[in-house]
Amino acid sequence: MTAAAERARAPVVVWLHEVDSTQSHAFLLGAENAPDGTAVVADVQTAGRGRRGRAWRAEPGTSLLVSILVRPRLPVAKLPLLSLTTAVALAETLAESGVPARIKWPNDVLARGRKIAGILLESRTGTATLVAVGVGVNLLQRGFDGDLEARATSAYLETGRALDRGALLQAFLARFARWRARLEKVGFEPVRERWLALNDTIGDAVSIDGLTGLARDLDGAGALLVDDGATVHRVVAGALDDAARR
Ligand code: BTN
C-alpha cells in the first residue's frame, strides 16, 4: 500500500488534554457525523467511567485513555462480540510491547494475574446505532494504593519501560481495525480462536454473578460455558451499557 493510501485509511484521532469522559466525547462527535473509527484520546478524564457504573480514575498522563467511535456493521445482538474482539486486539498490542498480557473473561486484560487494562462498550441508538469502545491502559504507574495494589499493574511495572502512548495507540488502532473487519466480514470464529489462545479463564474455577463452577469453553456466540457440576451454563458477556441513560 502506498503511503498516501495508508494515510487515507488511518483513523481520525482527536487528542484532548482534559475531558469528562472520552466515551461521552466520542458520542458527541458521533452525533456530529464524525467518521467511523474516530478515536478520542485524553491525557486526563474528570469523570472516566468503568463497567457496571464504576468510576475509572487515572492520574494525568499515566494511562492510554481512548474511545473509538464505531458505526457497527453487525446486528445489535452481536454487538457484545466487539468487546471480546477489542480484548484480543489489546492483548496482542500489549504482548507486542513486551507485556505478558492475557485476557480474563470477558474482556479484562491482565498481566501476571493483575489488571492492566479495562474495556467498556457503550451504545446509543437513534437514527443509527453508535458504539463507543472505551479502553483504559495503565502505562506509567509506579504503584497503586490501597486494595488496588494487589490487583492492578501497569506496563511500566511489567516491563520496566515507559511505553510511548502515541505509538501504543497507533498499534492498537491498527489491530482493532483488523480484528473488527474480520468479525464483521468473516464472523466470530477467528476472533474466538484467538481469544481462546490469549485467555486465562478457561480451565479455571470462576464465580460470576452468583454462579460458581469450572469455565469449560467459549461458545460460538461468545458465551462462557460454566460447569457447576450439575449443569453447563451459558454465561453471556454483559449487554452493552446504554450510554443514553447517563
Ligand atoms: C472497566 O471497568 O474495566 C472498563 C474501564 C474503561 C475505562 C476507559 S478509559 C477511556 C474510556 N473512557 C471512559 O470514560 N471509560 C473508558
Side-chain angles (χ1 to χ4, degrees), residues 98-186:
V99 175
R102 307 286 299 168
I103 304 169
K104 184 172 160 219
W105 191 87
N107 59 5
D108 279 343
V109 180
L110 311 185
R112 293 181 304 118
R114 293 171 186 216
K115 183 158 167 170
I116 189 166
I119 296 168
L120 172 70
L121 245 75
E122 294 175 313
S123 65
R124 262 187 200 175
T125 35
T127 41
T129 299
L130 294 181
V131 175
V133 176
V135 168
V137 185
N138 302 331
L139 287 183
L140 301 179
Q141 289 87 343
R142 302 295 205 256
F144 292 87
D145 291 334
D147 64 338
L148 274 186
E149 193 187 349
R151 294 190 287 115
T153 189
S154 70
Y156 179 81
L157 290 170
E158 294 304 314
T159 65
R161 288 180 294 125
L163 299 187
D164 182 77
R165 248 187 322 161
L168 195 79
L169 171 70
Q170 291 304 334
F172 168 61
L173 292 179
R175 283 191 186 270
F176 175 80
R178 277 202 294 277
W179 279 110
R180 176 190 164 192
R182 269 179 213 140
L183 175 69
E184 291 179 336
K185 289 183 188 147
V186 183

Side-chain angles (χ1 to χ4, degrees), residues 180-216:
R180 176 190 164 192
R182 269 179 213 140
L183 175 69
E184 291 179 336
K185 289 183 188 147
V186 183
F188 181 55
E189 193 49 32
V191 179
R192 176 179 171 271
E193 280 171 22
R194 195 69 184 120
W195 188 96
L196 285 170
L198 290 166
N199 97 92
D200 252 356
T201 300
I202 306 299
D204 281 0
V206 293
S207 193
I208 303 165
D209 293 337
L211 171 68
T212 301
L214 190 68
R216 290 256 185 234

Side-chain angles (χ1 to χ4, degrees), residues 21-23 45 47-51 54 56 64-67 108 115 117-120 134-136:
S21 159
T22 55
Q23 293 288 96
Q45 299 182 118
R49 44 190 195 251
R51 287 172 47 211
R54 288 189 284 253
W56 183 267
L64 174 63
L65 306 169
V66 55
S67 296
D108 279 343
K115 183 158 167 170
I119 296 168
L120 172 70
V135 168

